[in-house]
Amino acid sequence: MWTETDNKLYRKFEFSNFSEAFAFMTRVAIEAEKMDHHPLWTNVYNKVEIWLSTHDAGDVVTAKDKKLAERIDKLLQ
């Protein structure tokens, strides 16, 4: 579940291993590139953390962030 904190949408994902985490990041990257909206994220082994905000809007959460979050969630289905 995404949470909104400090003007960012945040979610932590956990996978079985690094390969699954990296594959997920690749799918997210493709969606982000389509939207020209790129996340701040980290990856350590099987964990991926993502923060979304819109730089052009003053680093706050916008509809663009919510749309990307929805697309990311659909990748898990």
Side-chain angles (χ1 to χ4, degrees):
M1 168 145 294
W2 292 92
T3 57
E4 189 169 339
T5 308
D6 298 325
N7 295 317
K8 291 177 179 49
L9 287 180
Y10 168 80
R11 185 165 177 189
K12 183 176 184 178
F13 302 87
E14 192 166 332
F15 300 91
S16 298
N17 55 48
F18 176 75
S19 293
E20 285 186 17
F22 194 86
F24 170 72
M25 291 178 70
T26 301
R27 293 191 304 274
V28 171
I30 291 167
E31 291 302 315
E33 189 65 19
K34 287 179 191 174
M35 292 181 62
D36 191 30
H37 191 55
H38 306 96
L40 169 64
W41 57 7
T42 62
N43 165 242
V44 177
Y45 181 57
N46 68 331
K47 294 176 181 64
V48 176
E49 292 181 83
I50 301 177
W51 294 265
L52 300 174
S53 64
T54 302
H55 177 71
D56 295 345
D59 292 319
V60 296
V61 175
T62 67
K64 199 170 189 178
D65 302 298
K66 292 176 182 178
K67 184 175 182 179
L68 182 53
E70 288 175 12
R71 288 187 179 189
I72 292 169
D73 287 344
K74 286 182 182 178
L75 295 173
L76 297 170
Q77 297 175 353

